[in-house]
Amino acid sequence: ILILLLVFYALYRYRLVKVKHNEARLKVLVSKQTKELEEQAKMFAHQASHDQLTGLPNRRAFDKWCISHFKQAQSKKQGLSIAIVDIDHFKRVNDEYSHIIGDEVLKSVADILSQQVANSGLNIRLARWGGEEFTLLIPGFKEGAITFCDQLCQSIREHECQLDAPDLSVTISIGLSDNKDVKEYEKMISHADHALYCAKYNGRNQLKVYQDDSARSDKKHNASDRSRRRYD
């Protein structure tokens, strides 16, 4: 009887140890899978808010910034500027040098813009707006952002493209506006887009600041001219 009791006790202890061991293995497995799921969720969230080619935040992320920063600036009566950057003659780059070179140009411009933003010391938000366009959300009114945007144009203009594309030179055009006398952030973006159109129409490779009088004077240009801007 004593031997049988000892055998049963040994079996019980063995079973108990095995169950605890399985529980420990299950906890490790669950923890590992949970961590993998969290990493996948972060990766999906990053992919949803970032551009795959340049690594910059995308338009979705920029729209969220615009909404939150615009509301904050309006409530505190602070200035907020937006700059839309467009690579000049980008369609020509794709047509003459290939889309591979075009992608390299996009990445090169994104790197220069990122470096300039980092060196500015300002809390500037940079994103790829789509296609060959980038956007910047700059604290303060447009008068304070002019110098920075001029530096962007100069930096791109003076940059030597280390690409297998002879005689390739890259320049940008910039349209700048702010939240002064604006009640909705979409209007601020529209003003910047109009200023960019003026920069493209007047020769490219320059910064144009939105002005009400220029908006009225440029109404004579027809809609077809404006639609062609994004493909020149």
Side-chain angles (χ1 to χ4, degrees):
I1 293 174
L2 182 60
I3 292 174
L4 286 174
L5 290 175
L6 290 174
V7 170
F8 283 126
Y9 179 74
L11 291 173
Y12 167 76
R13 291 293 301 174
Y14 171 77
R15 178 63 178 172
L16 184 63
V17 170
K18 189 174 182 180
V19 169
K20 289 184 177 180
H21 179 69
N22 289 337
E23 287 180 353
R25 288 180 58 188
L26 183 60
K27 288 182 179 179
V28 171
L29 182 61
V30 170
S31 177
K32 182 180 179 180
Q33 290 180 342
T34 301
K35 186 176 180 180
E36 289 177 352
L37 290 173
E38 290 176 351
E39 291 177 353
Q40 287 181 354
K42 290 180 180 178
M43 181 183 66
F44 291 147
H46 184 273
Q47 291 177 346
S49 61
H50 284 73
D51 174 57
Q52 185 176 2
L53 179 64
T54 63
L56 294 177
N58 59 18
R59 183 165 184 167
R60 178 183 297 179
F62 193 82
D63 285 342
K64 290 182 179 179
W65 295 340
C66 279
I67 294 172
S68 61
H69 285 254
F70 184 83
K71 288 181 179 179
Q72 182 178 359
Q74 294 296 90
S75 63
K76 295 183 179 180
K77 296 182 179 180
Q78 296 174 340
L80 182 66
S81 298
I82 181 172
I84 302 180
V85 179
D86 186 279
I87 301 176
D88 296 327
H89 301 295
F90 186 72
K91 183 177 184 299
R92 188 180 303 172
V93 173
N94 283 332
D95 292 342
E96 295 183 4
Y97 296 98
S98 79
H99 286 273
I100 295 177
I101 296 297
D103 288 346
E104 292 301 319
V105 169
L106 284 170
K107 289 190 288 186
S108 179
V109 170
D111 289 342
I112 296 172
L113 295 179
S114 298
Q115 184 177 2
Q116 292 295 316
V117 168
N119 294 338
S120 69
L122 302 173
N123 186 25
I124 299 176
R125 301 287 185 141
L126 168 66
R128 184 182 178 190
W129 189 244
E132 67 272 25
E133 289 186 338
F134 301 84
T135 43
L136 299 108
L137 202 59
I138 308 171
F141 291 110
K142 59 191 177 186
E143 292 79 7
I146 290 175
T147 300
F148 174 76
C149 290
D150 278 331
Q151 290 175 349
L152 291 182
C153 287
Q154 182 179 355
S155 298
I156 300 296
R157 182 169 55 247
E158 295 178 351
H159 178 70
E160 295 183 3
C161 295
Q162 303 297 324
L163 302 173
D164 186 17
D167 302 324
L168 174 61
S169 61
V170 179
T171 60
I172 59 173
S173 299
I174 303 178
L176 178 66
S177 71
D178 60 21
N179 62 336
K180 190 179 296 183
D181 301 323
V182 172
K183 295 182 179 180
E184 297 177 350
Y185 82 94
E186 293 94 340
K187 197 67 175 178
M188 182 174 66
I189 295 175
S190 176
H191 289 171
D193 188 62
H194 179 86
L196 175 61
Y197 162 70
C198 294
K200 306 286 279 189
Y201 187 86
N202 288 280
R204 300 177 174 83
N205 189 23
Q206 60 184 293
L207 163 70
K208 282 291 184 181
V209 181
Y210 177 81
Q211 301 291 345
D212 289 337
D213 53 351
S214 66
R216 287 192 294 268
S217 64
D218 282 322
K219 284 183 179 179
K220 61 183 180 179
H221 302 311
N222 58 41
S224 62
D225 288 332
R226 180 172 178 77
S227 65
R228 284 197 296 269
R229 171 180 65 77
R230 298 188 180 277
Y231 303 99
D232 288 343

